[in-house]
Amino acid sequence: MTYVHGYTDRETRRLLEQSLILEELLHSGTRYNEGSRVLEAGCGVGAQTLIIARRNPGIELISMDISLASVSKAESMVHQAGYRNVTFLQGDIYKSGFGHASFDHIFVCFLLEHLSDPLGALLIMKSLLRKGGTITVIEGDHGTGVWSPETEASRLAWDGLIRSQLYLGHDPFIGRRLFPLLDSAGFRNIDVTPRPVYSDRSNPELLDGVVNRIITPMVLSAGERVMGQQLLTRESWEKGLKDISSVASTGEGSFFYTWFKGCGIRL
Amino acid sequence: MTYVHGYTDRETRRLLEQSLILEELLHSGTRYNEGSRVLEAGCGVGAQTLIIARRNPGIELISMDISLASVSKAESMVHQAGYRNVTFLQGDIYKSGFGHASFDHIFVCFLLEHLSDPLGALLIMKSLLRKGGTITVIEGDHGTGVWSPETEASRLAWDGLIRSQLYLGHDPFIGRRLFPLLDSAGFRNIDVTPRPVYSDRSNPELLDGVVNRIITPMVLSAGERVMGQQLLTRESWEKGLKDISSVASTGEGSFFYTWFKGCGIRL
């Protein structure tokens, strides 16, 4: 798999900062009983792993990612933070080798949007869940992002990120499809809720966090890909990036984006 | 002023049904003390008036609109519903004749997005508030609307609505600007919150309400204007409208949209 945002140190920092800024927004409502065996599919550099481990003491967490470099970073960070109940594995969800019905819960965050076959991945994950086990999926939807002031250049840079992800055959608009995807995969009691973040100058810290530690680095991370695919000129892209970043420093600034969180049960 | 959605019976019905579907979403957090004198600026056909009157017994509500036909409809409906504490006035907010500082609260819903000078309107409304009085403004932002399945035709029809509103010099993206607008008008303690609606097949009634009683009729209402401004061919527009409506009847259907609610105080 190709990850549209790449594997740089800067991207690692972005993922860690993002996860803390959005912790309550994304993790509220998710709590696993002590003794549960939980699979985190696509743990990346461990940004969500750290939060799951902290919020769910007593679970047995197995965190897997296809990138060995990411899993290594995740492992050293999570162990350094003192959590001993997490096992890290390098592996491919499409051919993981886990036994049928071997997990109580599966947690997936920002993974399906980067896959060519998200439904196939969900079908496999369902087979890994015991009867009555649950899946939790959190994904964004780039179609919901709006900001002020929204210059033409900033919109073009955002669209460049979207198109570079579409170009890879992945879906930056997957949030709105969580319900039909979980439904097609055969999960039941599906509940999808929007998890919107909105910030303006009344909360400069959140506005700065969202704009300069999540969104701008996210757009930046796709830069070489956008340029390589000739989706935008470098000049236009740099101007757009600057305009997005400046949303955090102007009195008119505001930013809105929505993630979607979907839960379902394997009956 | 020109109202992009027009003044048909169908639009009246849409506004009434929309207001009831969205009542909790939009009105939660708004409560006026008994005896308060409240101005509803831009009451239209009274869709919100009915809800304000019901949720805030004991207030003195003055509801005004520039359209005499709308005010008449509002008046007969609200009086028929048994509310006696509402006074209706035909008038222009830019030259209302109300005295300086003559209201405790002002309530504005879906008005600023249809004005050429929303900041000017807010400045005037501020002058109508006593010191310590509050304003509440609810507006949409068409940039946040996403749905599944999102066909190209459905996106073009939605964009047609947006462009026809921009063509009038009005702002279909005003939601994200509520904070800077209230701030520029001199309001303080400003608090803007997103009020997102999301629905999928797990709640067919809400999905049908949002898609077929709010969104589809809203897009439909701008049809002649879209055609008149040659923003879309009739064939393309009709296809898009059909596709939007079908979001409510397919298993893959989902719809997401965000309104923004802003409150501020005149200090």
Side-chain angles (χ1 to χ4, degrees), chain A residues 147 150 176 200 254 256 258, chain B residues 147 150 176 179 254 256 258:
Chain A
W147 54 92
E150 187 182 297
R176 72 193 72 169
D200 57 36
S254 74
F256 176 83
T258 302
Chain B
W147 54 93
E150 188 182 298
R176 72 193 73 171
F179 183 88
S254 75
F256 176 84
T258 303

Side-chain angles (χ1 to χ4, degrees), chain A residues 16-72:
Chain A
L16 293 174
E17 294 185 339
Q18 169 178 271
S19 67
L20 296 174
I21 295 169
L22 305 179
E23 177 175 337
E24 272 308 308
L25 188 74
L26 302 185
H27 286 264
S28 70
T30 300
R31 194 73 67 181
Y32 300 123
N33 289 340
E34 259 188 55
S36 301
R37 192 172 140 86
V38 181
L39 171 66
E40 182 192 13
C43 65
V45 297
Q48 306 299 330
T49 316
L50 204 64
I51 295 173
I52 301 168
R54 172 161 41 77
R55 294 172 74 104
N56 299 279
I59 67 169
E60 180 193 356
L61 183 59
I62 290 93
S63 293
M64 187 177 82
D65 200 273
I66 198 164
S67 158
L68 181 59
S70 294
V71 168
S72 302

